[in-house]
Amino acid sequence: MEFQSSVKILNEWDIVAVRQLGRNIAKELNFGTVDQARITTAISELARNIFLYAKQGQITINKVFDDGKWGLQIIAEDEGPGIQDIRKAMEDGYSTSGGLGAGLPGVKRLMDTFDIDSKPNQGTIITATKWLR
C-alpha cells in the first residue's frame, strides 16, 4: 500500500466527508468521471450502511498497485450487529431498513472486486476495489 486514509463514520457529515475524500483520490489516480461517480456511490452506500446499522465504524481508502495497474480500494469496517444472512443481504431489493435494497448488491456491481466478512454480534468488514483501466 502506498497511500491510506481513513474516516471514522459517526454521523451523516462523515458520510459526506468520506465521499469527497474518495472522489479526490479517484481524481488523483486519473479515474474518469463515470468511474469517479461509481466509486463515490459505493463509498456512500458503505458509509450509510455503517451509520444506519452499526452506528459507527470507519472507511479506509487505499491507493493500490498490482500487476502493473493502479486501483482504489475501499475497506468499510464496523463492530455492529453483523449481517445475519449475507446471501439474503446480497439479493437485489432486500432491505431491513425500508430502503430500495440496492446497497450491497449495488456496491458489488459498481466495483471490480468485492468481499464481505460478517459475524453476528461482532461486525462487518467489506473490501471493494476499482481498477484503473
Side-chain angles (χ1 to χ4, degrees), residues 6-124:
S6 296
V7 174
K8 289 202 179 301
I9 306 300
L10 303 171
N11 58 55
E12 291 187 34
W13 291 109
D14 298 330
I15 298 170
V16 175
V18 76
R19 272 180 59 95
Q20 191 58 49
L21 176 67
R23 182 178 299 280
N24 290 342
I25 294 169
K27 283 181 185 176
E28 287 174 23
L29 287 168
N30 293 318
F31 277 97
T33 55
V34 172
D35 278 340
Q36 288 176 35
R38 288 180 176 130
I39 289 165
T40 55
T41 301
I43 290 169
S44 185
E45 286 291 337
L46 294 170
R48 186 176 170 279
N49 281 354
I50 288 171
F51 180 69
L52 280 178
Y53 299 110
K55 306 301 179 217
Q56 63 181 1
Q58 94 176 8
I59 303 264
T60 302
I61 301 172
N62 299 310
K63 289 181 186 176
V64 292
F65 188 77
D66 186 39
D67 201 25
K69 60 185 173 182
W70 283 97
L72 185 146
Q73 179 188 63
I74 306 160
I75 303 170
E77 303 175 79
D78 67 65
E79 294 178 2
I83 300 169
Q84 301 302 316
D85 186 343
I86 292 174
R87 242 160 87 214
K88 192 88 171 149
M90 292 304 297
E91 289 177 10
D92 280 318
Y94 177 77
S95 173
T96 58
S97 69
L100 295 175
L104 293 180
V107 171
K108 184 175 183 179
R109 281 191 297 273
L110 291 167
M111 302 299 283
D112 295 323
T113 67
F114 178 91
D115 182 67
I116 184 168
D117 182 26
S118 187
K119 294 177 180 55
N121 303 313
Q122 292 183 32
T124 302

